[in-house]
Amino acid sequence: FAPIEAAVMERGQRRGRLDSHALPKLLTSPEPLPAARMLPLEPEIPQVRWTLLVDISESMLEDQQGRTHSIASHQALQGAKLEYAGQAAMVFAEALEGLPGHAYEIAVFTSRGAFPAAAGEVPTASFVVKATANPWTRRATVHVLDEILNLPHRSTDDVDAITETLERGWAER
């Protein structure tokens, strides 16, 4: 334990335990000594941006037995992977909503060109269903689940979707 104690009592440390030998100097010195400092009372809040990419390809309409479900209604999807993906999206949003320093979006992906593109824009493989600027509300929950169920379900193009997500993140910096 001697090396640990020596590290804790090392002069010049800015964080960690107080050096009991430096406390008298702290009280008598007009300027605070670095060796006697404690951690700040208010923790620093990180600035983090999260993206949940939800696969909505045709394979997500299957259940664990490999049966493909129709997307006629939410009840028709019970047990399908897509239902679980929608539930994961709700938990993701509810966990991050209101957490200081954490912005998040939910995007879905399938094959490139599955989502409508504006005139002159390149078709994308991913589509944002909950943007970082939009708060999570009951209406947002319904919207996200509706989009997950009703957007086109085609093949999977995950590489393009991940690339697009990274580009959106860099653009928001």
Side-chain angles (χ1 to χ4, degrees):
F1 296 111
I4 295 172
E5 186 176 340
V8 168
M9 302 306 259
E10 182 181 2
R11 299 283 180 199
Q13 77 182 33
R14 299 180 68 87
R15 295 176 177 227
R17 296 182 187 166
L18 285 173
D19 183 347
S20 61
H21 299 292
L23 284 177
K25 292 179 187 176
L26 174 67
L27 297 173
T28 58
S29 172
E31 296 181 22
L33 298 173
R37 290 194 181 166
M38 289 181 28
L39 289 171
L41 293 177
E42 291 186 26
E44 294 178 20
I45 298 175
Q47 296 300 315
V48 182
R49 183 186 187 282
W50 301 90
T51 298
L52 178 65
L53 276 173
V54 179
D55 182 354
I56 62 166
S57 64
E58 288 175 338
S59 66
M60 294 297 286
L61 299 174
E62 296 175 359
D63 61 20
Q64 286 143 346
Q65 286 76 33
R67 294 180 301 228
T68 301
H69 293 257
S70 74
I71 54 170
S73 71
H74 184 260
Q75 278 193 315
L77 281 174
Q78 285 184 340
K81 296 176 201 172
L82 194 59
E83 179 190 25
Y84 298 125
Q87 291 172 359
M90 288 188 299
V91 170
F92 174 81
E94 289 172 8
L96 291 173
E97 185 63 31
L99 196 58
H102 294 268
Y104 67 96
E105 72 176 7
I106 299 172
V108 295
F109 73 95
T110 186
S111 59
R112 181 169 291 283
F115 307 113
E121 290 186 9
V122 177
T124 61
S126 65
F127 183 76
V128 177
V129 294
K130 191 277 178 200
T132 55
N134 300 342
W136 188 252
T137 62
R138 288 184 182 180
R139 181 174 282 175
T141 304
V142 172
H143 170 73
V144 167
L145 290 175
D146 186 55
E147 295 284 44
I148 287 172
L149 293 176
N150 295 316
L151 284 169
H153 303 277
R154 296 183 183 166
S155 61
T156 305
D157 194 353
D158 53 353
V159 173
D160 283 344
I162 292 168
T163 302
E164 292 166 8
T165 299
L166 292 171
E167 289 170 355
R168 273 194 310 276
W170 283 110
E172 285 186 17
R173 288 181 75 206

